[in-house]
């Protein structure tokens, strides 16, 4: 093997986690090779946040990690998130003069384009030279073989071979396969004896069937709701689609949902208990439909009122009947028959088990020199910048140990 094929570390995957790991190691004076089968870096960054990249969330801190990151070990993400914080990434963005704004709930987006984030990360990789390091890239490079012999990882791609004493698995999860997403990380993890927590699509729209199919007629209608699954609740917009339910509140709750479970929607989250009885006193000649139409889209109000099945004036309805209607409207039971799957899932729940990894360095406990970062690992954030913050933080955690 020629000398130039030997690196300090090989990083598989040039997404957010792989790039952050590469620039950290490169600026630490390491020679790094990043291999990706895509045509260029950060493909998911480019399409994220509707092209404006929701690059972090000011609340994606170690203090909130247990609640806002799902994992078989809810404490695992705290260490990396505590050492590389949203402020660290915001400072980097500001250094590059990238304008950004908070949209809602701590979510930070570029004013311009997600491309600025990818360009910034690539420029940071270029800075490695000044520290005696280097980051090389191989794109259009499917990986055909990974071996571990005599303390070195030997990777074969495009008929070429490279080796290094450290290997970083940063190939993400299988969500959005048409963008080149694969379950490659899981195969590799198993090859090295690491466990994989069963992966499943998350932050994903629901599909509706059965009696709920009527709601598909409302495709395009949205409402500010509270979505509930078990004891977990999210207040945000829900969107009715031609397949079922989507929108931020639904995507969030989908990460907590299991097949067969109902999802409750509160269509009128600001109404106090007893509001329908109050309406009966204030506007006795109104109907459930007319009352609903004053707060919800007309078509949604129609369907909900038709399903409740009371056309009479409120004055003619018993209080008990109004209480039942109110209860239904505050926790409308949908029974999703599935999700739109990996084709539409923003992230993958589960992944390489954190049991086998150091939370400080992301290194495999049983395979020195093997690191796993980003979405490939069993750490999945809420919607709204949490997943990129995990990609950055886990990338830095591994990159500073290479
Ligand atoms: P990522 O998937 O980004 O990178 C993995 C890399 O590995 C890819 O470049 C891929 O080509 C490569 N790869 C895969 N298999 C390979 C193989 N077999 N051989 C070689 N290379 C291989 N999050 C957030 O915080 N804010 C947001 O705004 C959004 N928006 C968003 C929109 C959409 C449509 C999606 C699908 C996802 C988001 N996300 C998000 C989630 C976020 O994009 C995701 O969590 C991170 O990109 C994960 O970063 P990773 O680097 O771990 O994986």
């Amino acid at each position: 093997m020629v000398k130039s094929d030997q690196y300090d570390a090989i990083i598989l995957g040039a997404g957010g986690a792989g790039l952050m790991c590469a620039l950290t190691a490169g600026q630490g004076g390491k020679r790094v090779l990043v291999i990706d089968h895509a045509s260029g870096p950060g493909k998911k960054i480019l399409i994220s946040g509707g092209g404006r990249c929701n690059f972090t969330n000011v609340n994606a801190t170690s203090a909130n990690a247990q609640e806002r990151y799902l994992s078989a070990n809810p404490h695992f993400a705290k260490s990396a998130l505590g050492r590389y914080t949203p402020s660290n990434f915001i400072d980097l963005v500001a250094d590059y003069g990238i304008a950004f704004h908070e949209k809602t709930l701590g979510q930070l987006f570029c004013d311009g384009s997600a491309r600025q984030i990818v360009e910034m990360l690539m420029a940071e990789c270029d800075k490695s030279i000044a520290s005696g390091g280097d980051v090389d890239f191989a794109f259009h490079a499917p990986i055909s073989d990974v071996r571990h012999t005599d303390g070195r990882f030997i990777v074969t791609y495009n008929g070429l071979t490279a080796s290094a004493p450290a290997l970083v698995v940063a190939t993400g999860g299988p969500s959005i396969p048409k963008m080149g997403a694969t379950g490659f990380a899981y195969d590799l993890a198993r090859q090295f004896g690491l466990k994989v927590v069963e992966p499943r699509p998350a932050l994903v729209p629901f599909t509706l069937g059965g009696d709920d199919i009527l709601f598909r007629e409302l495709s395009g209608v949205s409402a500010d709701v509270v979505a509930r699954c078990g004891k977990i609740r999210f207040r945000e917009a829900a969107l009715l689609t031609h397949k079922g339910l989507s929108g931020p509140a639904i995507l969030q709750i989908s990460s907590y949902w299991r097949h067969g479970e109902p999802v409750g929607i509160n269509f009128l989250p600001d109404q106090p208990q007893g509001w329908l009885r109050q309406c009966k006193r204030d506007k006795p000649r109104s109907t459930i439909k007319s009352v609903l139409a004053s707060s919800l889209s007309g078509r949604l109000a129609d369907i909900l009122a038709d399903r409740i099945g009371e056309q009479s004036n409120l004055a003619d309805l018993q209080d008990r009947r109004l209480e039942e209607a109110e209860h239904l409207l505050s926790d409308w039971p949908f029974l999703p028959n599935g999700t739109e799957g990996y084709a539409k899932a923003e992230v993958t729940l589960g992944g390489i088990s954190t049991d086998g990894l150091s939370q400080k360095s992301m290194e495999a406990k049983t395979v020195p020199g093997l690191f796993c970062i980003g979405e490939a690992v069993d750490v999945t954030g809420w919607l709204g910048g949490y997943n990129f913050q995990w990609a950055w933080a886990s990338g830095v955690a591994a990159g500073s140990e290479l």
Side-chain angles (χ1 to χ4, degrees):
M1 187 189 295
V2 292
K3 178 88 175 92
S4 63
D5 292 335
Q6 299 194 7
Y7 290 87
D8 295 317
I10 298 172
I11 299 172
L12 307 181
L19 291 175
M20 200 64 176
C21 183
L23 71 87
T24 306
Q27 291 179 13
K30 299 290 190 273
R31 263 200 89 217
V32 179
L33 172 66
V34 185
I35 305 175
D36 199 302
H37 64 182
S39 58
K43 294 286 185 189
K44 276 196 186 165
I45 299 175
L46 292 175
I47 59 151
S48 67
R52 292 220 163 105
C53 186
N54 177 193
F55 55 79
T56 193
N57 190 301
V58 295
N59 301 311
T61 61
S62 56
N64 288 327
Q66 208 172 324
E67 179 197 29
R68 297 178 187 203
Y69 288 89
L70 289 79
S71 170
N73 176 357
H75 300 285
F76 182 84
K78 287 182 185 172
S79 172
L81 290 169
R83 283 173 294 134
Y84 191 84
T85 64
S87 302
N88 293 128
F89 198 80
I90 293 165
D91 288 347
L92 187 59
V93 168
D95 282 351
Y96 277 75
I98 299 171
F100 63 91
H101 61 280
E102 179 177 336
K103 197 169 164 193
T104 178
L105 303 170
Q107 303 168 4
L108 302 188
F109 286 73
C110 298
D111 289 356
S113 156
R115 187 164 296 282
Q116 294 171 288
I117 298 293
V118 176
E119 286 170 0
M120 176 189 82
L121 296 171
M122 293 301 275
E124 285 290 300
C125 286
D126 286 347
K127 276 192 186 170
S128 303
I129 309 270
S131 332
D134 195 11
V135 182
D136 286 347
F137 288 93
F139 290 112
H140 295 290
I143 299 145
S144 46
D145 191 43
V146 177
R147 273 165 215 223
H148 190 210
T149 358
D150 298 331
R152 289 188 79 79
F153 294 89
I154 301 157
V155 179
T156 309
Y157 62 100
N158 277 350
L160 301 168
T161 303
S163 81
L167 180 75
V168 183
V169 183
T171 52
S175 52
I176 322 275
K178 75 169 187 227
M179 292 194 61
T182 67
F184 179 78
Y186 311 148
D187 299 338
L188 206 54
R190 290 191 188 102
Q191 178 187 328
F192 285 102
L194 299 180
K195 284 191 290 177
V196 173
V197 175
E198 187 199 349
R200 60 190 166 98
L203 299 181
V204 63
F206 288 129
T207 52
L208 294 177
D211 285 351
D212 293 336
I213 217 155
L214 268 182
F215 285 90
R216 298 187 351 191
E217 288 169 19
L218 301 178
S219 178
V221 170
S222 76
D224 173 31
V225 305
V226 171
R228 180 189 68 81
C229 184
K231 290 187 175 153
I232 305 290
R233 289 179 160 79
F234 287 98
R235 176 163 186 172
E236 273 193 79
L239 173 70
L240 292 140
T241 72
H242 67 289
K243 289 193 175 161
L245 292 169
S246 187
I250 300 299
L251 299 184
Q252 294 278 37
I253 211 75
S254 73
S255 297
Y256 294 85
W257 179 80
R258 292 275 183 181
H259 269 274
E261 278 185 303
V263 170
I265 303 284
N266 183 348
F267 283 105
L268 296 156
D270 289 325
Q271 294 291 11
Q273 212 182 351
W275 67 275
L276 257 183
R277 276 176 290 146
Q278 187 62 41
C279 283
K280 175 177 166 178
R281 284 193 284 278
D282 296 346
K283 302 178 220 157
R285 290 180 164 208
S286 57
T287 60
I288 289 184
K289 190 176 280 193
S290 67
V291 166
L292 289 180
S294 63
S295 323
L296 297 169
S297 136
R299 288 192 294 152
L300 178 57
D302 285 352
I303 286 211
L304 293 175
D306 289 348
R307 297 290 288 273
I308 292 169
E310 294 291 0
Q311 269 104 44
S312 318
N313 288 345
L314 295 183
D316 300 327
L317 295 175
Q318 287 182 351
D319 281 0
R320 229 191 72 223
R321 185 70 192 106
L322 292 177
E323 270 167 37
E324 282 165 12
E326 194 181 304
H327 178 71
L328 198 54
L329 288 163
S330 68
D331 198 28
W332 196 276
F334 287 93
L335 196 59
N337 62 7
T339 71
E340 292 196 42
Y342 287 122
K344 288 283 159 66
E346 214 163 272
V347 286
T348 305
L349 263 175
I352 300 171
S353 170
T354 58
D355 282 357
L357 303 176
S358 150
Q359 60 183 355
K360 180 171 175 282
S361 64
M362 311 299 295
E363 188 173 16
K365 290 173 185 166
T366 50
V367 190
L370 179 68
F371 296 77
C372 303
I373 58 174
E375 195 179 322
V377 176
D378 172 32
V379 172
T380 308
W382 278 6
L383 185 79
Y386 290 89
N387 287 296
F388 277 135
Q389 188 58 37
W390 169 245
W392 317 137
S394 59
V396 170
S400 42
E401 298 283 332
L402 295 175

